[in-house]
Amino acid sequence: MSKMSKAVAVLGVVAGLGVAAMPLATYAANPETINLNVQVVDKIELSASETSLNMNPVNGGDIAEATTDLTVTTSNTKGYTLNAKTSDVNLTSGENNTIAAGVPQANATTSAWGLKAGTKTFQNYAGLTTADQLVKETNGAPSGNTDATQVTFGVATAAGQAAGTYTGDAIFTAVAKF
């Protein structure tokens, strides 16, 4: 072996021993654990197929009706409640003409407007109040996370009801159960 080969071999051994003698901490840092906390919040949305309904009752005639489908989308596994209220119990036209919330009836002697939804208080026509009223309640997440409720509004007017365009509102709220 030549002097140069021996020198390279000796340097290689010295370099290898030097690296082997270095502490392992030089090559690896201490492990660090990261804890993950994921909070999935309940999703709940409410949409209506129609947000403006027109009804044309005939004074002293049948109940005029209009419908909308309310769809609740939620991931809540405990279910939801669907509530309804109005900002004013009267439909109004002008300053003094009103139709009160109540139970509309064909051939009415008293004008009234109301809604029915096939569930709870509103199985048949009922008038809205300015406080939330339970329309529907579910237990558990709906199939496919969506649930639809058809709501029918009705109005009947007495023979002496003043002509005009009467306006009002119905406010629906879907609330996730806890």
Side-chain angles (χ1 to χ4, degrees):
M1 188 181 251
S2 72
K3 283 187 182 190
M4 184 61 111
S5 297
K6 286 182 186 178
V8 170
V10 170
L11 285 176
V13 170
V14 170
L17 289 174
V19 169
M22 292 177 72
L24 287 178
T26 306
Y27 292 104
N30 293 331
E32 189 66 42
T33 301
I34 306 297
N35 295 313
L36 303 175
N37 296 303
V38 178
Q39 181 181 5
V40 177
V41 296
D42 290 327
K43 171 188 173 185
I44 189 159
E45 295 176 356
L46 175 63
S47 62
S49 62
E50 299 292 330
T51 58
S52 182
L53 301 175
N54 297 308
M55 295 173 278
N56 300 306
V58 174
N59 284 354
D62 290 333
I63 299 171
E65 295 182 324
T67 63
T68 187
D69 292 322
L70 300 175
T71 302
V72 175
T73 304
T74 183
S75 60
N76 187 313
T77 59
K78 295 180 181 176
Y80 71 91
T81 59
L82 179 63
N83 302 300
K85 67 180 179 180
T86 183
S87 59
D88 186 339
V89 296
N90 294 314
L91 302 178
T92 58
S93 176
E95 292 183 26
N96 298 316
N97 300 323
T98 62
I99 299 173
V103 180
Q105 298 176 5
N107 304 314
T109 56
T110 303
S111 298
W113 73 279
L115 69 91
K116 62 181 176 179
T119 59
K120 296 289 180 188
T121 304
F122 299 100
Q123 189 162 357
N124 298 306
Y125 277 113
L128 288 177
T129 67
T130 56
D132 277 332
Q133 295 170 270
L134 182 63
V135 174
K136 184 175 185 176
E137 180 176 20
T138 67
N139 294 312
S143 175
N145 293 339
T146 62
D147 188 37
T149 301
Q150 186 176 64
V151 176
T152 301
F153 292 89
V155 62
T157 53
Q161 186 69 45
T165 301
Y166 291 76
T167 60
D169 61 24
I171 303 162
F172 291 91
T173 308
V175 180
K177 288 184 175 180
F178 293 100

